[in-house]
Amino acid sequence: MIRVLIADDQAMVRQGFGALLAAQPDLLVVGDAANGADAVTAARRLDPDVVLMDVRMPVLDGLEATRRLIGSRPEGGERPKVLILTTFDLDDYVYEALRAGASGFLLKDAPAADLVQAVRVVAGGEALLAPSVTRRLIAEFAARPSRNRPRPTVLSALTPRETEVLRLIARGRSNGEIADDLVVAEQTVKTHVGRILAKLNLRDRAQAVVLAYETGLVAAGE
């Protein structure tokens, strides 16, 4: 059973998402929060697997709430996965939410089935980036100064095959698609992904995508 916490300052959004997710046999809505501070408190108390996190909330915004959740480990539990809820017009700090440890984005107007699938995907350890959101993120990132980006040398710990897998991850390929591209077993890809994350000290695939663009391994528009 996947435990979900919903954080959004609009009561109707919380209720609507809650009813949708609660109707799924493998999902359990353990609580909700109307602001980022309450989301952090509730997450530490309820130990959800996934937090649906709105970006703009009073008291504490979704970015800082994500940082606090990912930066702390509840006693006897693991850090929850954070799925950012956003509109098409991205806030400037949504990109920073990925760097803070969010596992992906979901558009608020996405179909109901996409929301349900997104929770399952993120809970399973995969990154989820809506294509339209990803394109906007990359466009914003490409226009920023490069002085604070990690140097390409951070990738030197990777083997050529791991570098190739990272490049495909950054292009949005799933493990199955990467396996098809490289003509290897999907389990082999999972092993490569695990080694990439460990060598680069990354939490998940979402952070791997960020690093691939920051280091120039993959360029915007590729």
Side-chain angles (χ1 to χ4, degrees):
M1 186 69 72
I2 300 171
R3 298 165 58 84
V4 184
L5 174 71
I6 301 169
D8 194 290
D9 62 342
Q10 297 182 43
M12 290 183 65
V13 171
R14 297 196 305 273
Q15 292 167 7
F17 286 170
L20 172 64
L21 297 177
Q24 308 303 312
D26 59 334
L27 304 181
L28 176 65
V29 178
V30 296
D32 60 33
N35 61 65
D38 287 348
V40 173
T41 299
R44 290 172 177 168
R45 176 170 53 89
L46 299 171
D47 196 21
D49 299 303
V50 177
V51 178
L52 293 182
M53 185 78 75
D54 188 22
V55 174
R56 293 184 177 181
M57 290 186 291
V59 184
L60 194 71
D61 64 44
L63 172 59
E64 184 58 31
T66 297
R67 283 180 178 148
R68 295 187 187 185
L69 283 177
I70 300 302
S72 65
R73 182 185 299 274
E75 185 176 351
E78 297 182 353
R79 298 180 182 92
K81 303 292 194 304
V82 176
L83 179 59
I84 298 291
L85 297 170
T86 184
T87 59
F88 184 78
D89 293 320
L90 293 173
D91 299 90
D92 183 61
Y93 54 41
V94 172
Y95 174 80
E96 297 301 328
L98 268 183
R99 301 195 69 193
S103 292
F105 295 98
L106 185 71
L107 298 176
K108 278 191 172 182
D109 60 357
D114 287 0
L115 172 61
V116 173
Q117 181 63 14
V119 171
R120 291 173 179 153
V121 167
V122 169
E126 296 279 351
L128 184 137
L129 302 173
S132 58
V133 174
T134 304
R135 285 194 295 271
R136 290 287 295 275
L137 279 172
I138 293 171
E140 286 188 9
F141 173 74
R144 296 184 179 191
S146 60
R147 60 181 180 275
N148 294 322
R149 298 181 190 177
R151 296 183 180 277
T153 53
V154 302
L155 303 178
S156 61
L158 303 182
T159 66
R161 177 47 63 95
E162 288 166 352
T163 301
E164 189 174 11
V165 170
L166 176 56
R167 186 178 287 110
L168 291 171
I169 290 172
R171 290 173 177 160
R173 301 286 205 280
S174 67
N175 284 349
E177 291 169 336
I178 294 173
D180 290 341
D181 288 343
L182 301 181
V183 195
V184 298
E186 187 169 346
Q187 184 57 49
T188 300
V189 175
K190 290 180 180 179
T191 299
H192 285 315
V193 172
R195 288 175 179 167
I196 291 167
L197 298 182
K199 287 182 177 181
L200 300 180
N201 194 29
L202 303 172
R203 294 189 184 95
D204 57 22
R205 295 168 75 100
Q207 288 201 323
V209 172
V210 171
L211 184 66
Y213 281 99
E214 287 182 330
T215 58
L217 179 65
V218 177
E222 282 192 15

